[in-house]
Amino acid sequence: MNFINNLNSLSENEFVSIFGSVFEKSEWIANEAYKFKPFKDAEDLMNKMTNIYENCSKEKILEIFNLHPKLAIEKKLTNFSSKEQSGAKLDKCTKEELLEFENLNSNYERKFKFPFIIAVKGKDKNNILSNFRQRVQNDYFTEFNEAKSQVKKIALFRLNEIFINN
């Protein structure tokens, strides 16, 4: 099956089952994107999904942020999150690393009122910890925009993976 050629023939349920977890636990974005059929190609779908996200209200963006798992310590993960965190070896942390992740997650959430979000693909736990230590020092405006950018980056990685695997 040529996935791109058949993309526009998918039912809404099929479409949402494939693309519903691109934005963490936010199937509604896939539901909205479905309304923009037909898609010219994968890039057109990516642009439409990211535009829906980019044009959300601040409240909706915060809802999406808060659906993201806490890195290294969250046990209930989506398939994508589990694979991404495992690829960064976040499932193989030492006791000291886990303690640092717990402290950073707690301090970060207390300060920003949403979990730390980073596209972990291509990074290891040391890169992530280093980034975490730096970003927890940011002001709210800077970090909100960085988290928003990271969510988009995660979604694009996930969309690419879907297209590669189908």
Side-chain angles (χ1 to χ4, degrees):
M1 165 173 131
N2 185 332
F3 190 70
I4 301 300
N5 290 341
N6 291 308
L7 180 61
N8 292 311
S9 66
L10 293 172
S11 72
E12 186 169 2
N13 285 341
E14 291 168 326
F15 185 88
V16 171
S17 98
I18 294 168
F19 298 103
S21 57
V22 166
F23 286 88
E24 192 78 19
K25 300 175 188 164
S26 298
E27 289 184 349
W28 67 269
I29 293 177
N31 285 106
E32 284 298 309
Y34 183 81
K35 296 173 185 174
F36 291 102
K37 283 176 44 174
F39 304 106
K40 293 180 220 139
D41 51 27
E43 188 175 343
D44 185 38
L45 171 59
M46 288 179 178
N47 288 336
K48 286 177 177 163
M49 287 189 83
T50 56
N51 283 339
I52 292 165
Y53 168 69
E54 289 285 343
N55 292 303
C56 287
S57 67
K58 181 180 179 187
E59 293 73 27
K60 211 58 158 155
I61 297 288
L62 286 169
E63 282 178 30
I64 293 168
F65 287 178
N66 281 299
L67 291 170
H68 280 261
K70 293 178 182 79
L71 291 182
I73 62 171
E74 186 94 24
K75 300 302 176 211
K76 197 172 179 184
L77 301 172
T78 63
N79 289 340
F80 273 122
S81 287
S82 179
K83 207 154 97 177
E84 291 157 358
Q85 288 200 31
S86 171
K89 305 285 188 254
L90 293 177
D91 58 340
K92 306 253 188 292
C93 289
T94 65
K95 284 183 182 178
E96 293 79 17
E97 289 167 334
L98 272 177
L99 184 60
E100 184 171 12
F101 270 111
E102 284 177 16
N103 288 332
L104 285 167
N105 274 302
S106 176
N107 292 338
Y108 185 96
E109 267 196 283
R110 195 175 313 111
K111 182 174 182 179
F112 299 110
K113 308 292 186 242
F114 55 84
F116 177 75
I117 300 168
I118 186 170
V120 299
K121 188 175 178 88
K123 294 177 177 56
D124 65 23
K125 58 188 174 181
N126 293 325
N127 302 129
I128 295 163
L129 274 170
S130 174
N131 198 294
F132 210 155
R133 290 180 201 115
Q134 291 169 350
R135 284 180 47 198
V136 76
Q137 305 302 318
N138 285 343
D139 62 82
Y140 184 87
F141 180 78
T142 302
E143 194 52 29
F144 178 88
N145 287 322
E146 182 60 29
K148 188 175 178 183
S149 170
Q150 291 295 320
V151 167
K152 185 176 173 181
K153 194 180 288 189
I154 293 165
L156 292 173
F157 281 141
R158 291 175 177 183
L159 279 166
N160 279 321
E161 186 176 328
I162 291 168
F163 285 117
I164 288 168
N165 292 325
N166 287 290

